[in-house]
Amino acid sequence: DAGVIQSPRHEVTEMGQEVTLRCKPISGHDYLFWYRQTMMRGLELLIYFNNNVPIDDSGMPEDRFSAKMPNASFSTLKIQPSEPRDSAVYFCASSDVRGQIYEQYFGPGTRLTVT
Amino acid sequence: QKEVEQDPGPLSVPEGAIVSLNCTYSNSAFQYFMWYRQYSRKGPELLMYTYSSGNKEDGRFTAQVDKSSKYISLFIRDSQPSDSATYLCASDTGRRALTFGSGTRLQVQP
């Protein structure tokens, strides 16, 4: 299996622009998680889905952030408009309901820089 | 105050040393406790886990949880340069929404 796939790996954009991050979970996994990692705040859960349905979005920082999962093999995290404080590494992770509750498989991350 | 607190380090030790990494947590509802390892510019990967209190050993790694003091530990014996990474503790109530510590950066010197 290819593991969790994220694109792009790096994104540099100007303040005010729309940013879309993409994730393909491991085939057969029914949970998908979006995290953000910064030096100041560490790794924070933004939102997670079960069977394509958002379960908990309490970590989404504000209305500028939105996430969708139109099918079992694809999810997007969108920031509109982007701000410099959104600069971070964004990770997508997936897990299997039949697997252990604590075992999440992380993608390589998208490094976002907003200037 | 964060629900899971972790000393960011960095922690530098010589090869072969015993390493002790620690976290404290505040949420009494946490039942699952785990350690993830993150190499530079990579995603975290699960290293060890325990359910409730107790110890778990896997090769050179031992995970320990003391729920009475809300303390999570990871011990690495005979540390190797390949162990150099950031170690993240994490906890969960059972909802699958992991709460991570900020991570401790470990450097094992050859």
Side-chain angles (χ1 to χ4, degrees):
Chain A
D1 198 318
V4 175
I5 298 172
Q6 291 187 246
S7 65
R9 295 293 308 277
H10 301 274
E11 177 81 34
V12 180
T13 190
E14 291 183 350
M15 183 174 63
Q17 296 299 305
E18 177 180 295
V19 175
T20 299
L21 311 181
R22 298 173 177 80
C23 175
K24 177 179 169 56
I26 292 172
S27 177
H29 281 192
D30 38 20
Y31 282 85
L32 184 138
F33 307 83
W34 282 101
Y35 290 89
R36 176 173 68 176
Q37 188 173 40
T38 61
M39 290 290 293
M40 290 294 295
R41 301 177 66 89
L43 191 62
E44 302 174 286
L45 177 65
L46 300 177
I47 185 171
Y48 76 98
F49 296 82
N50 177 218
N51 291 323
N52 314 336
V53 176
I55 303 300
D56 186 347
D57 66 354
S58 60
M60 297 285 263
E62 48 197 277
D63 292 344
R64 298 185 296 106
F65 286 70
S66 62
K68 294 182 179 179
M69 191 164 186
N71 57 62
S73 59
F74 184 67
S75 177
T76 59
L77 178 68
K78 187 175 292 186
I79 308 172
Q80 166 64 19
S82 58
E83 297 182 3
R85 60 192 168 121
D86 301 331
S87 297
V89 181
Y90 290 81
F91 288 102
C92 176
S94 70
S95 70
D96 181 351
V97 69
R98 295 162 298 178
Q100 300 297 339
I101 199 167
Y102 39 78
E103 185 157 24
Q104 297 182 10
Y105 296 84
F106 283 76
T110 295
R111 186 171 296 272
L112 173 65
T113 303
V114 183
T115 60
Chain B
Q1 182 190 6
K2 294 188 68 174
E3 286 189 300
V4 179
E5 297 279 358
Q6 186 173 7
D7 187 335
L11 180 62
S12 182
V13 301
E15 183 175 353
I18 296 174
V19 176
S20 172
L21 303 169
N22 307 293
C23 292
T24 58
Y25 66 93
S26 57
N27 188 344
S28 299
F30 285 149
Q31 295 290 330
Y32 298 85
F33 304 91
M34 54 224 80
W35 287 93
Y36 277 74
R37 179 175 60 194
Q38 184 177 20
Y39 290 111
S40 181
R41 298 189 175 269
K42 302 285 188 184
E45 56 181 352
L46 181 66
L47 185 63
M48 295 281 293
Y49 73 91
T50 53
Y51 171 70
S52 194
S53 283
N55 292 0
K56 185 163 187 177
E57 189 173 319
D58 184 2
R60 297 184 295 110
F61 298 89
T62 299
Q64 201 170 74
V65 175
D66 183 346
K67 291 193 74 179
S68 63
S69 59
K70 296 187 173 68
Y71 205 76
I72 312 165
S73 300
L74 177 71
F75 299 96
I76 306 174
R77 292 182 298 281
D78 187 24
S79 56
Q80 302 295 309
S82 58
D83 295 329
S84 297
T86 297
Y87 290 79
L88 300 143
C89 60
S91 302
D92 183 27
T93 61
R95 295 190 307 122
R96 292 181 179 261
L98 302 186
T99 301
F100 283 86
S102 55
T104 299
R105 189 157 59 91
L106 171 67
Q107 184 71 36
V108 181
Q109 305 290 344

